[in-house]
Amino acid sequence: MADKRRFDLFADLLVTRFPQAQRVYDVAGGMGKLNESLTQRGRTVTTFDLRHKHLPVRYAQRPFTLEEPCEAELVVGMHPDGATRIIIEYAARHGLGFAVVPCCSDNGMPYKPWMRHLADVARDAGFTTVEEAELPMDGRARVLLGVWR
């Protein structure tokens, strides 16, 4: 069973590590629980997902693509599945920070090699700082963070 604190724990990490980022894109954000947690911490958040049923938060019911106009200062994803790589690519294209908590790969790689691969993708895209953090929770809790030049 997923740790019910995961959204608050991730939100706390985000506001600590990216204090200047007031506008956030939450990609593949499901019902918008991370949005809710970040909004409670004073951030303006737009969640991108295809769900019809979601919390009453700022929500874009469409796929997130590299062509999305940039109105954010940080791009994040909590277990974003197939959107993990696009979060990193979008952040690089627009010179933004990113933070992802990957749960599975989009190419069949095992988890640890997938995390190393994502870090390499970020470095190759131009991020000067790429590091991992660990959320104090059960389940997939490793966070990959990228800071733009």
Side-chain angles (χ1 to χ4, degrees):
M1 174 171 254
D3 193 316
K4 294 184 188 302
R5 305 167 302 145
R6 67 188 178 277
F7 301 106
D8 285 328
L9 292 170
F10 192 30
D12 287 341
L13 175 76
L14 294 172
V15 300
T16 300
R17 296 299 284 274
F18 299 95
Q20 75 290 356
Q22 297 298 308
R23 297 175 301 154
V24 180
Y25 281 170
D26 171 27
V27 179
M31 292 188 63
K33 290 184 179 182
L34 179 59
N35 183 324
E36 190 175 63
S37 292
L38 284 167
T39 299
Q40 290 169 357
R41 289 156 178 78
R43 302 312 188 262
T44 301
V45 184
T46 302
T47 297
F48 292 84
D49 204 294
L50 297 175
R51 289 179 184 240
H52 294 285
K53 185 177 179 181
H54 54 81
L55 297 173
V57 296
R58 190 173 172 168
Y59 205 91
Q61 192 177 0
R62 63 180 180 269
F64 186 79
T65 69
L66 293 175
E67 287 71 41
E68 184 67 39
C70 187
E71 297 175 1
E73 298 153 337
L74 178 65
V75 186
V76 303
M78 168 65 89
H79 302 161
D81 297 335
T84 304
R85 187 187 317 257
I86 197 168
I87 290 169
I88 296 169
E89 292 170 356
Y90 184 89
R93 178 178 281 194
H94 296 282
L96 310 174
F98 76 86
V100 291
V101 184
C103 60
C104 54
S105 74
D106 64 5
N107 61 8
M109 268 186 200
Y111 184 71
K112 288 182 181 180
W114 174 239
M115 289 292 288
R116 287 191 298 274
H117 173 72
L118 291 172
D120 289 342
V121 167
R123 285 185 198 96
D124 291 347
F127 286 91
T128 54
T129 303
V130 179
E131 59 187 327
E132 283 191 30
E134 185 97 16
L135 297 174
M137 65 180 209
D138 295 331
R140 297 286 191 207
R142 290 170 64 189
V143 183
L144 187 67
L145 303 128
V147 177
W148 191 248
R149 312 172 207 229

